[in-house]
Amino acid sequence: MSEYRSIPSEKLPRIIYIMGSGRSGTTILEVLLSNSPGVAGVGEVTHIFRDGYINGDVCACGSDVSECELWSTVRRQCDWSDADISSGEKLFRRFSWHSKFPGVAMGLAPANAKKEFADLNGKLFSAVAKHSGAHTIIDSSKYAARAIALMRSFPDDVMIICLTRSPSGLMQAFSKPNKNEQKPKSTLATFIYYIYVMACFRVVSWRYGRRVLKIRYEDVVSDPCTALDRIERWSGVDLSATRETISSDGFLEPGHIVTGNRLRYQKKIRFRRSGEDRAALRMPTRIVVMIMNAYRFILQL
Ligand SMILES: [Zn+2]
């Protein structure tokens, strides 16, 4: 029995949690997975209280969250007052963000906070499953801290995909200005960020073994069907519908993502395969990337 748990696991859908760094393709992987029957994506749901219910961001479906058919129904079903929304935002923040990882990994949060975290997520996931009819929910909140907290809350129901991206691709992605998304990072900031988050991901994959599947962004964008096949065999979730959509050059839909990459604003998404990240990086950055590549190799991520 988990110290976090307070809701019987049979009430919950299966939760596939996508753990990854910023700009590593977590949103596109979520869209791929959630375009098969019985699978629902909830985006970076750790931010749903802040971005959705407090700031009133627009959902990928085109409606404000207060009018979105999914998120307005979830709020009604969970009977959340404004005070509940505010405390939910604080609670989720406590178990997310990269800086929270050491404390969460060491189990330092008070017992009542762990129980509240499990209760709140249990209610949220159950409400999404009830409304959508999904047996599997994709949560692409990315943070390693939340991965551990969810795994401790619902050990029988959570599976984790660890999505990593090549250092050169990440360096290039973080150098670009990106309005309304994560801010650009310098070479040094990207290096420190990478060393830290990859160490967190290694701890999670070491701790949870076969319940963690390591996937590389480069493999997803170059050969999505093979990547989906691996995820299907590992998770047992039928993803054949998405593979057929990609093979026939059809359109994917973003569902009800509130926080995630800006591609969520496209009503119809056509998946474009692409090759290796070929970044034209300057010399000091190239040396840093070589060190990051060695680090990735040592960590086996
Ligand atoms: Zn929506």
Side-chain angles (χ1 to χ4, degrees), residues 10-289:
E10 58 269 20
K11 287 189 181 174
L12 282 180
R14 180 200 322 249
I15 297 147
I16 295 183
Y17 184 78
I18 304 177
M19 176 175 76
S21 67
R23 312 225 180 147
S24 61
T26 51
T27 303
I28 186 62
L29 182 59
E30 167 173 338
V31 170
L32 288 169
L33 299 179
S34 60
N35 270 260
S36 282
V39 187
V42 290
E44 296 177 30
V45 80
T46 193
H47 301 304
I48 191 65
F49 294 106
R50 181 196 68 189
D51 294 348
Y53 295 123
I54 296 173
N55 295 342
D57 283 2
V58 176
C59 179
C61 67
S63 299
D64 288 351
V65 164
S66 60
E67 287 163 9
C68 158
E69 53 150 322
L70 174 68
W71 295 115
S72 65
T73 307
V74 167
R75 179 170 184 171
R76 206 165 42 248
Q77 270 184 27
C78 295
D79 196 22
W80 287 327
S81 65
D82 286 348
D84 294 332
I85 295 291
S86 176
S87 62
E89 190 272 331
K90 289 187 183 73
L91 185 69
F92 271 19
R93 200 158 10 113
R94 196 168 186 166
F95 291 90
S96 288
W97 303 103
H98 298 303
S99 60
K100 299 290 181 2
F101 182 78
V104 173
M106 287 187 279
L108 299 182
N112 66 330
K114 292 173 183 172
K115 184 178 174 302
E116 283 172 22
F117 178 85
D119 275 345
L120 191 57
N121 280 286
K123 269 186 168 180
L124 192 157
F125 288 132
S126 297
V128 171
K130 191 173 172 189
H131 176 75
S132 62
H135 52 67
T136 300
I137 290 177
I138 313 298
D139 173 354
S140 60
S141 296
K142 300 194 285 202
Y143 298 110
R146 182 169 165 85
I148 287 202
L150 284 179
M151 192 60 102
R152 289 186 180 158
S153 301
F154 317 111
D156 300 330
D157 307 299
V158 177
M159 302 179 87
I160 299 167
I161 293 176
C162 176
L163 183 66
T164 58
R165 182 168 184 178
S166 73
S168 58
L170 203 65
M171 200 59 92
Q172 194 182 42
F174 269 126
S175 69
K176 289 179 192 162
N178 199 347
K179 258 190 183 175
N180 304 322
E181 305 285 340
Q182 208 164 4
K183 290 187 172 61
K185 289 185 195 293
S186 67
T187 297
L188 179 63
T190 305
F191 175 73
I192 294 168
Y193 172 80
Y194 186 80
I195 296 295
Y196 177 70
V197 298
M198 292 288 273
C200 298
F201 298 163
R202 190 71 192 94
V203 170
V204 175
S205 63
W206 167 77
R207 173 68 185 79
Y208 295 107
R210 295 168 71 93
R211 295 189 75 82
V212 180
L213 181 70
K214 297 173 202 166
I215 294 273
R216 292 183 170 207
Y217 168 82
E218 302 80 67
D219 296 335
V220 174
V221 293
S222 63
D223 187 357
C225 289
T226 301
L228 289 172
D229 193 51
R230 276 188 68 206
I231 295 169
E232 182 175 285
R233 279 185 278 120
W234 163 78
S235 66
V237 177
D238 181 359
L239 300 169
S240 54
T242 305
R243 285 200 300 273
E244 280 162 26
T245 303
I246 295 170
S247 301
S248 61
D249 208 18
F251 288 107
L252 302 162
E253 291 176 7
H256 294 281
I257 296 174
V258 176
T259 307
N261 185 282
R262 61 180 181 271
L263 76 87
R264 68 186 185 276
Y265 292 126
Q266 298 174 29
K267 285 263 178 286
K268 302 268 179 195
I269 300 164
R270 183 169 269 159
F271 190 90
R272 296 267 174 242
R273 287 178 180 77
S274 58
E276 284 274 304
D277 288 313
R278 291 201 184 278
L281 300 168
R282 290 166 187 268
M283 194 53 199
T285 305
R286 277 164 59 189
I287 293 170
V288 172
V289 164

